[in-house]
Amino acid sequence: MPIARPKQLATRLLRQSLAIIWFIIVVLLAVDIGVDYQTHRSDTLQQIQRQVSLIENSLAKSLAEQNPSGAEQLLLQLLRDQRIYRAKFVNTDDLPFGQSVRQAVVFEENHLLETLEYTIHSSTGFANAKLILELDTQLAADSFIRRSVAMTIITILAVSLIAALLYLLFERRLTMPMHKLIRLLDNKQDAGKAASLPDLKGHEEDEIGRWIDTTNHLLRSVREIRSKESEAKANASRLRRFDELTDLPNRHYFHQQLRQRVNLATTLEQNPALLVFGMDGFSAINARYGNAIGDKLLMAVTQRLSKHRGQSQFISRIAGDQFALLCEHIANNYEAGQLAQSLLHSLSRPFGVTDQRIQISASVGIALFPQDGKTAEQLMANADKAMQQAKKEGRNQYQYYLASTDAKMRRRKILEDALRTAPKTGQLSLVFQPQFDLAEKKVAGAEALLRWNHPEYGFVSPDEFIPIAEESSLIIPIGAWVLQNACQQLADWHAKGETHFQVAVNLSAVQLKQPGIIRLIES
């Protein structure tokens, strides 16, 4: 959006400059007019004073000789000065001794007259007399006004000329270059670009030139920052959606896509299938070859999986060694199994990521929409349960999700949690199966057998809870409890005189692998 055109800087500068100039000129004009008025008045008074001084002695002589006509002649000489309208000579009693008036002069009402009085000193002992002059100031005023008006007009013309020159100078040297730069910036903003501003001829070394250089530097910095910001946002956006190692969609992004496609499948009445598969024994590969080789193996697995990705399939890495594949529509349920078997067959070929070729396998769990879940969360959870079940049943195979399997897994989880506290809560007990010595025809000992009375499920078969204990490593503390209680029972029998009794205790392979098993048995 273009920026609104502001008021021209040249006009504002011109107004400010003219305001200052006008203020200065008005003050100077007032001072000049005042000085001129005072100077003109002072000159006039001095000139008349000189004229009076020329006839002063003659007037005093006429007064002494009582010669009024002579005095009038002298007064007529004063009237030669156009500024003097009437001249009157009076004695000490203010009686006219001589008088002279300029004839044929018509005054208007507001005509200006000024009266001057001069004392004439008598040299014969008579009292002093007075010379009264009436000056016609209208002529001086008209002359003064004409000069003032002429000076004001000249000043106005000079100021107007200066204003025009200043306006043209400001407009050409400041406003026009700035408007040109603003238009360039506006165009670049509209186009979404930030190219450099061109150098303006004649402004290379002044403030505008330096402003252009600074602006160009700022624009370059803005471009670099925007470029880095866009790149960082793109990378951050991709990292939020894709796995950094395999460049596959991550778990969060896969869940988003799964929700969208499940909702779309509901609308279009499609039947998508979700396959979740995990590599068998991947932790052992990491432990043997190192994490770097493990990462290379994951990348190689990704490449093979990508070859099976069709237009309607979406692959993601959802955990360290777990992947998910969404097939958006299958016509028959067995097609999901065929796809899983194809993936397993592809992964069964050795991977050449080290000097030695690595053989791996995977277990795949399959959940079908809508029977195995009507939401993305349900499908993901059930496919993961089916994968765990495939691992328990031998690995390197695929397993469909079944509700009975889910119930079995929930029961297994409950039993595993209960086994952690079973030895302390008295739920475990030992029964002893007698062993007979046929030659002596008597009981020679017994075999200790572990039993579990669950408060909810009742007696749980050893065939069910012993594998759970072994897989969760709970067999180690439970086995120690069995040894302790079996030895205690044997000690009781020996104390009762059955010193020939012996007790057999079954040990799990998990127990035998423990470094301290011998010391435990000895203790």
Side-chain angles (χ1 to χ4, degrees), residues 139-184:
L139 295 176
D142 292 342
S143 175
F144 176 76
I145 290 173
R146 285 194 298 271
R147 289 197 306 273
S148 298
V149 170
M151 183 181 299
T152 302
I153 293 174
I154 293 173
T155 302
I156 291 174
L157 292 177
V159 170
S160 301
L161 180 60
I162 293 173
L165 293 176
L166 286 176
Y167 179 79
L168 293 176
L169 181 62
F170 288 155
E171 178 73 15
R172 181 177 179 83
R173 299 293 296 172
L174 185 60
T175 302
M176 291 177 62
M178 292 302 293
H179 278 320
K180 181 178 181 180
L181 295 175
I182 291 172
R183 285 195 300 271
L184 290 173

Short mmCIF file of all heavy atoms in Angstrom, two decimals, residues 139-184:
data_model
loop_
_atom_site.label_atom_id
_atom_site.label_comp_id
_atom_site.label_asym_id
_atom_site.label_seq_id
_atom_site.Cartn_x
_atom_site.Cartn_y
_atom_site.Cartn_z
N LEU A 139 3.09 68.39 3.46
CA LEU A 139 4.03 68.11 2.36
C LEU A 139 5.10 67.13 2.79
O LEU A 139 5.44 66.17 2.09
CB LEU A 139 4.67 69.43 1.90
CG LEU A 139 3.71 70.46 1.27
CD1 LEU A 139 4.49 71.76 0.97
CD2 LEU A 139 3.11 69.90 -0.02
N ALA A 140 5.63 67.38 4.01
CA ALA A 140 6.65 66.46 4.51
C ALA A 140 6.07 65.07 4.73
O ALA A 140 6.71 64.05 4.45
CB ALA A 140 7.24 66.99 5.80
N ALA A 141 4.79 65.06 5.24
CA ALA A 141 4.16 63.76 5.49
C ALA A 141 3.94 63.01 4.19
O ALA A 141 4.19 61.80 4.09
CB ALA A 141 2.84 63.94 6.24
N ASP A 142 3.44 63.76 3.15
CA ASP A 142 3.22 63.10 1.85
C ASP A 142 4.52 62.56 1.30
O ASP A 142 4.58 61.43 0.77
CB ASP A 142 2.60 64.10 0.87
CG ASP A 142 1.17 64.46 1.27
OD1 ASP A 142 0.58 63.69 2.08
OD2 ASP A 142 0.67 65.48 0.79
N SER A 143 5.57 63.33 1.40
CA SER A 143 6.87 62.89 0.91
C SER A 143 7.36 61.67 1.68
O SER A 143 7.86 60.69 1.10
CB SER A 143 7.88 64.03 1.01
OG SER A 143 9.17 63.60 0.64
N PHE A 144 7.14 61.75 3.01
CA PHE A 144 7.58 60.63 3.84
C PHE A 144 6.79 59.36 3.52
O PHE A 144 7.33 58.26 3.43
CB PHE A 144 7.42 61.01 5.31
CG PHE A 144 7.74 59.89 6.25
CD1 PHE A 144 9.07 59.54 6.50
CD2 PHE A 144 6.72 59.19 6.88
CE1 PHE A 144 9.35 58.50 7.37
CE2 PHE A 144 7.02 58.16 7.75
CZ PHE A 144 8.34 57.81 8.00
N ILE A 145 5.46 59.54 3.33
CA ILE A 145 4.62 58.38 3.01
C ILE A 145 5.02 57.78 1.67
O ILE A 145 5.07 56.56 1.49
CB ILE A 145 3.13 58.78 3.03
CG1 ILE A 145 2.70 59.08 4.47
CG2 ILE A 145 2.26 57.69 2.42
CD1 ILE A 145 1.30 59.65 4.58
N ARG A 146 5.28 58.67 0.67
CA ARG A 146 5.69 58.15 -0.64
C ARG A 146 6.97 57.35 -0.54
O ARG A 146 7.11 56.28 -1.14
CB ARG A 146 5.85 59.32 -1.63
CG ARG A 146 4.54 59.91 -2.11
CD ARG A 146 4.77 60.80 -3.31
NE ARG A 146 5.62 61.94 -3.00
CZ ARG A 146 5.17 63.11 -2.54
NH1 ARG A 146 3.86 63.28 -2.35
NH2 ARG A 146 6.00 64.10 -2.27
N ARG A 147 7.91 57.89 0.23
CA ARG A 147 9.17 57.14 0.39
C ARG A 147 8.93 55.80 1.10
O ARG A 147 9.51 54.77 0.74
CB ARG A 147 10.18 57.98 1.17
CG ARG A 147 10.74 59.17 0.40
CD ARG A 147 12.01 59.69 1.06
NE ARG A 147 11.81 60.00 2.46
CZ ARG A 147 11.37 61.15 2.93
NH1 ARG A 147 11.03 62.14 2.06
NH2 ARG A 147 11.22 61.37 4.22
N SER A 148 8.06 55.83 2.15
CA SER A 148 7.80 54.60 2.91
C SER A 148 7.09 53.56 2.04
O SER A 148 7.42 52.37 2.07
CB SER A 148 6.95 54.91 4.15
OG SER A 148 7.64 55.79 5.01
N VAL A 149 6.08 54.03 1.26
CA VAL A 149 5.37 53.10 0.37
C VAL A 149 6.30 52.52 -0.67
O VAL A 149 6.29 51.31 -0.96
CB VAL A 149 4.18 53.82 -0.29
CG1 VAL A 149 3.57 52.95 -1.40
CG2 VAL A 149 3.12 54.16 0.75
N ALA A 150 7.14 53.40 -1.25
CA ALA A 150 8.09 52.91 -2.24
C ALA A 150 9.04 51.89 -1.63
O ALA A 150 9.34 50.83 -2.22
CB ALA A 150 8.87 54.09 -2.82
N MET A 151 9.50 52.18 -0.41
CA MET A 151 10.41 51.25 0.26
C MET A 151 9.70 49.92 0.56
O MET A 151 10.27 48.83 0.39
CB MET A 151 10.93 51.87 1.56
CG MET A 151 11.96 51.01 2.30
SD MET A 151 12.50 51.80 3.81
CE MET A 151 13.21 53.31 3.15
N THR A 152 8.42 50.01 1.01
CA THR A 152 7.65 48.78 1.31
C THR A 152 7.44 47.95 0.06
O THR A 152 7.58 46.71 0.08
CB THR A 152 6.30 49.15 1.94
OG1 THR A 152 6.52 49.93 3.13
CG2 THR A 152 5.51 47.90 2.30
N ILE A 153 7.07 48.62 -1.06
CA ILE A 153 6.85 47.89 -2.31
C ILE A 153 8.13 47.21 -2.77
O ILE A 153 8.13 46.03 -3.17
CB ILE A 153 6.31 48.84 -3.39
CG1 ILE A 153 4.89 49.31 -3.01
CG2 ILE A 153 6.30 48.16 -4.75
CD1 ILE A 153 4.33 50.36 -3.95
N ILE A 154 9.21 47.97 -2.71
CA ILE A 154 10.51 47.38 -3.11
C ILE A 154 10.84 46.18 -2.22
O ILE A 154 11.32 45.14 -2.69
CB ILE A 154 11.61 48.45 -3.05
CG1 ILE A 154 11.36 49.52 -4.14
CG2 ILE A 154 12.98 47.81 -3.23
CD1 ILE A 154 12.31 50.70 -4.05
N THR A 155 10.57 46.35 -0.91
CA THR A 155 10.85 45.25 0.02
C THR A 155 9.99 44.03 -0.30
O THR A 155 10.47 42.88 -0.30
CB THR A 155 10.60 45.71 1.46
OG1 THR A 155 11.42 46.84 1.74
CG2 THR A 155 10.92 44.59 2.43
N ILE A 156 8.67 44.27 -0.56
CA ILE A 156 7.78 43.14 -0.88
C ILE A 156 8.24 42.43 -2.15
O ILE A 156 8.27 41.19 -2.24
CB ILE A 156 6.33 43.65 -1.03
CG1 ILE A 156 5.79 44.09 0.34
CG2 ILE A 156 5.43 42.56 -1.62
CD1 ILE A 156 4.42 44.74 0.27
N LEU A 157 8.60 43.23 -3.16
CA LEU A 157 9.09 42.61 -4.40
C LEU A 157 10.36 41.82 -4.16
O LEU A 157 10.54 40.71 -4.68
CB LEU A 157 9.34 43.71 -5.45
CG LEU A 157 8.08 44.42 -5.99
CD1 LEU A 157 8.48 45.54 -6.95
CD2 LEU A 157 7.18 43.41 -6.69
N ALA A 158 11.25 42.39 -3.34
CA ALA A 158 12.51 41.68 -3.05
C ALA A 158 12.23 40.39 -2.29
O ALA A 158 12.80 39.33 -2.60
CB ALA A 158 13.44 42.59 -2.24
N VAL A 159 11.32 40.45 -1.29
CA VAL A 159 10.99 39.25 -0.53
C VAL A 159 10.31 38.20 -1.42
O VAL A 159 10.58 37.00 -1.32
CB VAL A 159 10.10 39.61 0.68
CG1 VAL A 159 9.55 38.36 1.35
CG2 VAL A 159 10.88 40.43 1.69
N SER A 160 9.41 38.69 -2.30
CA SER A 160 8.74 37.75 -3.21
C SER A 160 9.74 37.08 -4.12
O SER A 160 9.66 35.86 -4.38
CB SER A 160 7.67 38.49 -4.03
OG SER A 160 6.71 39.08 -3.18
N LEU A 161 10.68 37.86 -4.63
CA LEU A 161 11.71 37.28 -5.48
C LEU A 161 12.55 36.28 -4.71
O LEU A 161 12.86 35.17 -5.21
CB LEU A 161 12.60 38.39 -6.05
CG LEU A 161 13.74 37.94 -6.98
CD1 LEU A 161 13.18 37.19 -8.18
CD2 LEU A 161 14.58 39.13 -7.42
N ILE A 162 12.92 36.65 -3.49
CA ILE A 162 13.69 35.72 -2.65
C ILE A 162 12.89 34.45 -2.39
O ILE A 162 13.42 33.33 -2.43
CB ILE A 162 14.10 36.40 -1.34
CG1 ILE A 162 15.11 37.53 -1.62
CG2 ILE A 162 14.70 35.40 -0.36
CD1 ILE A 162 15.43 38.37 -0.40
N ALA A 163 11.57 34.62 -2.08
CA ALA A 163 10.70 33.46 -1.81
C ALA A 163 10.63 32.54 -3.02
O ALA A 163 10.71 31.31 -2.89
CB ALA A 163 9.30 33.94 -1.42
N ALA A 164 10.46 33.13 -4.20
CA ALA A 164 10.39 32.31 -5.42
C ALA A 164 11.70 31.56 -5.64
O ALA A 164 11.70 30.37 -5.98
CB ALA A 164 10.05 33.20 -6.62
N LEU A 165 12.81 32.27 -5.46
CA LEU A 165 14.11 31.61 -5.64
C LEU A 165 14.32 30.51 -4.61
O LEU A 165 14.81 29.41 -4.94
CB LEU A 165 15.24 32.66 -5.54
CG LEU A 165 15.29 33.70 -6.68
CD1 LEU A 165 16.38 34.72 -6.40
CD2 LEU A 165 15.53 33.02 -8.03
N LEU A 166 13.93 30.80 -3.35
CA LEU A 166 14.07 29.77 -2.31
C LEU A 166 13.18 28.58 -2.62
O LEU A 166 13.58 27.41 -2.44
CB LEU A 166 13.71 30.36 -0.95
CG LEU A 166 14.73 31.31 -0.32
CD1 LEU A 166 14.18 31.89 0.98
CD2 LEU A 166 16.05 30.59 -0.05
N TYR A 167 11.93 28.85 -3.07
CA TYR A 167 11.02 27.74 -3.38
C TYR A 167 11.60 26.87 -4.50
O TYR A 167 11.60 25.64 -4.41
CB TYR A 167 9.67 28.30 -3.79
CG TYR A 167 8.68 27.21 -4.16
CD1 TYR A 167 8.01 26.48 -3.19
CD2 TYR A 167 8.43 26.92 -5.51
CE1 TYR A 167 7.12 25.49 -3.53
CE2 TYR A 167 7.55 25.91 -5.85
CZ TYR A 167 6.89 25.21 -4.86
OH TYR A 167 6.01 24.22 -5.20
N LEU A 168 12.06 27.53 -5.56
CA LEU A 168 12.64 26.76 -6.66
C LEU A 168 13.87 25.99 -6.20
O LEU A 168 14.09 24.83 -6.60
CB LEU A 168 13.01 27.71 -7.82
CG LEU A 168 11.82 28.38 -8.54
CD1 LEU A 168 12.33 29.37 -9.60
CD2 LEU A 168 10.93 27.32 -9.19
N LEU A 169 14.66 26.63 -5.36
CA LEU A 169 15.86 25.96 -4.86
C LEU A 169 15.50 24.76 -4.00
O LEU A 169 16.02 23.65 -4.18
CB LEU A 169 16.71 26.96 -4.06
CG LEU A 169 18.03 26.41 -3.50
CD1 LEU A 169 18.94 25.97 -4.64
CD2 LEU A 169 18.72 27.46 -2.64
N PHE A 170 14.54 24.97 -3.06
CA PHE A 170 14.13 23.86 -2.20
C PHE A 170 13.47 22.76 -3.02
O PHE A 170 13.69 21.57 -2.79
CB PHE A 170 13.15 24.36 -1.13
CG PHE A 170 13.79 25.19 -0.07
CD1 PHE A 170 13.06 26.12 0.66
CD2 PHE A 170 15.15 25.06 0.22
CE1 PHE A 170 13.65 26.90 1.63
CE2 PHE A 170 15.75 25.83 1.19
CZ PHE A 170 15.00 26.76 1.90
N GLU A 171 12.59 23.18 -3.95
CA GLU A 171 11.86 22.20 -4.76
C GLU A 171 12.82 21.36 -5.60
O GLU A 171 12.67 20.13 -5.70
CB GLU A 171 10.85 22.93 -5.65
CG GLU A 171 10.06 22.04 -6.59
CD GLU A 171 9.01 21.24 -5.85
OE1 GLU A 171 8.71 21.56 -4.69
OE2 GLU A 171 8.49 20.27 -6.45
N ARG A 172 13.79 22.03 -6.21
CA ARG A 172 14.70 21.33 -7.11
C ARG A 172 15.75 20.52 -6.36
O ARG A 172 16.07 19.39 -6.75
CB ARG A 172 15.37 22.34 -8.04
CG ARG A 172 16.33 21.71 -9.04
CD ARG A 172 16.91 22.76 -9.98
NE ARG A 172 17.84 22.18 -10.92
CZ ARG A 172 17.49 21.59 -12.05
NH1 ARG A 172 16.21 21.50 -12.38
NH2 ARG A 172 18.40 21.08 -12.88
N ARG A 173 16.26 21.10 -5.29
CA ARG A 173 17.39 20.46 -4.61
C ARG A 173 16.97 19.52 -3.48
O ARG A 173 17.76 18.70 -3.04
CB ARG A 173 18.32 21.54 -4.04
CG ARG A 173 18.93 22.44 -5.10
CD ARG A 173 19.87 21.67 -5.99
NE ARG A 173 21.02 21.18 -5.24
CZ ARG A 173 21.95 20.35 -5.73
NH1 ARG A 173 21.83 19.91 -6.97
NH2 ARG A 173 22.96 19.95 -4.99
N LEU A 174 15.72 19.65 -3.02
CA LEU A 174 15.33 18.85 -1.86
C LEU A 174 14.05 18.06 -2.11
O LEU A 174 14.04 16.83 -2.04
CB LEU A 174 15.17 19.76 -0.63
CG LEU A 174 14.87 19.06 0.70
CD1 LEU A 174 16.00 18.11 1.05
CD2 LEU A 174 14.69 20.09 1.80
N THR A 175 12.95 18.79 -2.43
CA THR A 175 11.66 18.12 -2.52
C THR A 175 11.60 17.12 -3.68
O THR A 175 11.17 15.98 -3.50
CB THR A 175 10.53 19.16 -2.68
OG1 THR A 175 10.58 20.05 -1.57
CG2 THR A 175 9.17 18.48 -2.73
N MET A 176 12.02 17.55 -4.87
CA MET A 176 11.96 16.65 -6.02
C MET A 176 12.81 15.40 -5.83
O MET A 176 12.35 14.28 -6.09
CB MET A 176 12.36 17.41 -7.30
CG MET A 176 11.34 18.45 -7.73
SD MET A 176 11.85 19.41 -9.18
CE MET A 176 11.97 18.10 -10.40
N PRO A 177 14.07 15.52 -5.37
CA PRO A 177 14.84 14.29 -5.10
C PRO A 177 14.20 13.40 -4.06
O PRO A 177 14.17 12.17 -4.21
CB PRO A 177 16.20 14.82 -4.63
CG PRO A 177 16.30 16.19 -5.20
CD PRO A 177 14.92 16.73 -5.21
N MET A 178 13.64 14.01 -2.99
CA MET A 178 13.02 13.19 -1.95
C MET A 178 11.78 12.49 -2.48
O MET A 178 11.55 11.31 -2.18
CB MET A 178 12.67 14.07 -0.75
CG MET A 178 13.88 14.62 0.00
SD MET A 178 14.97 13.32 0.63
CE MET A 178 13.91 12.56 1.84
N HIS A 179 10.95 13.19 -3.27
CA HIS A 179 9.77 12.54 -3.86
C HIS A 179 10.17 11.40 -4.79
O HIS A 179 9.51 10.35 -4.84
CB HIS A 179 8.93 13.57 -4.62
CG HIS A 179 8.03 14.38 -3.74
ND1 HIS A 179 7.33 13.85 -2.69
CD2 HIS A 179 7.71 15.71 -3.75
CE1 HIS A 179 6.63 14.78 -2.09
NE2 HIS A 179 6.84 15.93 -2.71
N LYS A 180 11.22 11.61 -5.52
CA LYS A 180 11.69 10.54 -6.42
C LYS A 180 12.10 9.32 -5.62
O LYS A 180 11.74 8.18 -5.98
CB LYS A 180 12.86 11.07 -7.26
CG LYS A 180 13.40 10.04 -8.24
CD LYS A 180 14.53 10.63 -9.08
CE LYS A 180 15.06 9.59 -10.08
NZ LYS A 180 16.17 10.16 -10.89
N LEU A 181 12.82 9.53 -4.54
CA LEU A 181 13.24 8.41 -3.70
C LEU A 181 12.04 7.74 -3.04
O LEU A 181 11.98 6.50 -2.95
CB LEU A 181 14.22 8.91 -2.63
CG LEU A 181 15.56 9.44 -3.15
CD1 LEU A 181 16.37 10.02 -2.00
CD2 LEU A 181 16.34 8.35 -3.86
N ILE A 182 11.06 8.54 -2.61
CA ILE A 182 9.87 7.97 -1.97
C ILE A 182 9.08 7.12 -2.96
O ILE A 182 8.59 6.04 -2.63
CB ILE A 182 8.99 9.10 -1.38
CG1 ILE A 182 9.70 9.74 -0.18
CG2 ILE A 182 7.63 8.56 -0.96
CD1 ILE A 182 9.01 10.97 0.34
N ARG A 183 8.96 7.61 -4.22
CA ARG A 183 8.25 6.82 -5.24
C ARG A 183 8.97 5.51 -5.49
O ARG A 183 8.33 4.46 -5.65
CB ARG A 183 8.13 7.63 -6.54
CG ARG A 183 7.08 8.72 -6.49
CD ARG A 183 6.76 9.23 -7.88
NE ARG A 183 7.94 9.78 -8.54
CZ ARG A 183 8.32 11.04 -8.46
NH1 ARG A 183 7.60 11.90 -7.74
NH2 ARG A 183 9.39 11.48 -9.09
N LEU A 184 10.29 5.56 -5.54
CA LEU A 184 11.05 4.32 -5.74
C LEU A 184 10.81 3.34 -4.59
O LEU A 184 10.60 2.14 -4.81
CB LEU A 184 12.54 4.64 -5.87
CG LEU A 184 12.96 5.36 -7.15
CD1 LEU A 184 14.43 5.77 -7.08
CD2 LEU A 184 12.73 4.47 -8.37
#
